[in-house]
Amino acid sequence: IQMKAIGKVYEESWENRKRFKLRPDNRQLNEANIRKITRSFEKYGWYGEPITVTKDMYVIAGQHRLEAACRARIGIKYIIEDREVTQEALRDMSAASRKWTDMDYICSMADGGNDNCRKFVQLYKEFVKTRKILPQNTIVAVVTNTYKSNTLKSLVNEDFSLTIDEYNIAHAMLEKIEEIVAPCRVGKVTGRFDYTCNAVYFLLNNEANFEILKARVAKNTDMIRAVVNIEQAIAMMEDVYNKHTRTKDKMYFVSKYKEYLDTRRSSRDK
């Protein structure tokens, strides 16, 4: 490898795939993307730019083309770059070939040793990818302790903290939310389901009884409808929670949410 010229295009047999090494901090391979490139390689042969590797044969651009070439059983075209590539530079290079999603960035940071991102990815894989009940934005809401539908971009753009204690608290809360909303997933609830889940999160954080809320949601799934914001979702869940409840025992979460917003505004103004 050391004898090869920098910047010159070389070709390696697909059978020597093991010579190429994938960096653990690169984005995760996208199976759909690999299949698409494989079909094109099988039909037209190699096309586009060669993959880029370091002198130690670590792939820094083109890992999807590498995998597709092996599946299509065609030669792997590559060039060698004589420079160290940081994790940030790696993300920038890959983004040039296909736009990284926010989850790509989170996973890259997790694989690169960011413990906060690693624990978030664990929650995401368990509750979103495996159990498939809670939406991604609700994981973000619980981790960041907010109720509006924050996206992953809020984690990418901010230096968030997720200690082991915070992880355990978030995990326990997500299990409760999941248990409450599971009957709704079986029904025909559409629209922004994350708002509904986040509203449940708000109720639980504001003195709603878990067992009562769980029972009333299960019994009144017909009251769970599509909503367009968190305010509507909290009002809806308040109605569900207070169903057949005496006036003196009712709880008013909409007013609690307004108080929460006023408190946040006051703290920002200081």
Side-chain angles (χ1 to χ4, degrees):
I1 303 298
Q2 305 296 332
M3 301 292 293
K4 291 190 174 181
I6 304 300
K8 182 179 178 180
V9 177
Y10 294 96
E11 183 169 332
E12 187 70 62
S13 169
W14 66 269
E15 295 176 302
N16 293 329
R17 162 68 179 80
K18 290 184 178 180
R19 293 190 64 186
F20 298 88
K21 308 168 194 174
L22 298 184
R23 285 180 49 150
D25 56 348
N26 207 332
R27 66 181 174 186
Q28 295 181 325
L29 289 171
N30 182 296
E31 181 61 29
N33 195 24
I34 293 172
R35 288 198 298 267
K36 180 179 178 181
I37 299 172
T38 300
R39 288 193 295 269
S40 295
F41 280 179
E42 288 173 340
K43 189 173 182 179
Y44 303 111
W46 186 281
Y47 70 92
E49 296 292 324
I51 68 173
T52 305
V53 301
T54 65
K55 290 187 293 184
D56 296 325
M57 297 300 283
Y58 278 97
V59 178
I60 53 179
Q63 59 177 358
H64 287 83
R65 278 168 284 157
L66 171 64
E67 180 62 28
C70 294
R71 294 187 187 184
R73 298 191 172 192
I74 65 172
I76 303 164
K77 296 184 184 294
Y78 68 98
I79 60 173
I80 301 171
E81 281 209 358
D82 184 22
R83 65 186 177 96
E84 292 296 324
V85 178
T86 65
Q87 184 185 50
E88 183 178 0
L90 179 66
R91 293 198 295 265
D92 290 342
M93 291 175 66
S94 295
S97 60
R98 180 185 71 84
K99 183 176 177 59
W100 274 36
T101 64
D102 291 325
M103 183 53 74
D104 286 333
Y105 283 104
I106 296 285
C107 290
S108 174
M109 289 187 284
D111 292 336
N114 186 309
D115 194 51
N116 295 321
C117 291
R118 182 184 61 80
K119 289 196 283 289
F120 176 84
V121 170
Q122 287 178 343
L123 293 173
Y124 171 81
K125 287 182 176 179
E126 178 177 353
F127 288 97
V128 179
K129 301 296 286 185
T130 302
R131 300 190 185 187
K132 298 181 178 180
I133 292 179
L134 296 182
Q136 173 180 288
N137 288 349
T138 296
I139 313 300
V140 179
V142 172
V143 166
T144 58
N145 195 29
T146 57
Y147 304 107
K148 289 201 172 182
S149 188
N150 289 336
T151 63
L152 282 174
K153 196 173 295 296
S154 63
L155 300 185
V156 174
N157 294 338
E158 298 178 14
D159 186 18
F160 74 101
S161 171
L162 190 59
T163 66
I164 187 62
D165 288 340
E166 290 168 337
Y167 170 86
N168 290 333
I169 292 171
H171 191 281
M173 177 59 75
L174 289 167
E175 285 191 319
K176 287 183 177 181
I177 298 171
E178 182 184 70
E179 199 170 341
I180 290 169
V181 303
C184 307
R185 270 301 203 205
V186 177
K188 298 181 179 180
V189 178
T190 57
R192 293 296 300 272
F193 190 60
D194 49 343
Y195 287 129
T196 299
C197 295
N198 293 4
V200 169
Y201 176 43
F202 180 80
L203 265 65
L204 291 174
N205 270 350
N206 286 270
E207 302 178 359
N209 181 281
F210 167 72
E211 294 297 341
I212 292 176
L213 182 56
K214 174 185 171 184
R216 288 180 181 168
V217 168
K219 190 174 181 179
N220 299 285
T221 54
D222 58 314
M223 295 178 65
I224 309 299
R225 59 189 184 279
V227 293
V228 297
N229 56 48
I230 186 65
E231 289 82 4
Q232 284 186 6
I234 291 174
M236 174 180 68
M237 297 310 300
E238 178 183 292
D239 289 342
V240 172
Y241 191 82
N242 290 330
K243 182 81 169 177
H244 302 310
T245 301
R246 293 177 299 180
T247 301
K248 71 182 186 66
D249 294 326
K250 288 184 177 182
M251 298 188 70
Y252 299 97
F253 299 101
V254 171
S255 59
K256 285 180 179 287
Y257 186 69
K258 289 179 180 177
E259 291 173 5
Y260 160 78
L261 291 179
D262 288 341
T263 302
R264 289 198 64 182
R265 290 190 194 100
S266 297
S267 63
R268 283 199 300 264
D269 292 340
K270 290 181 180 179

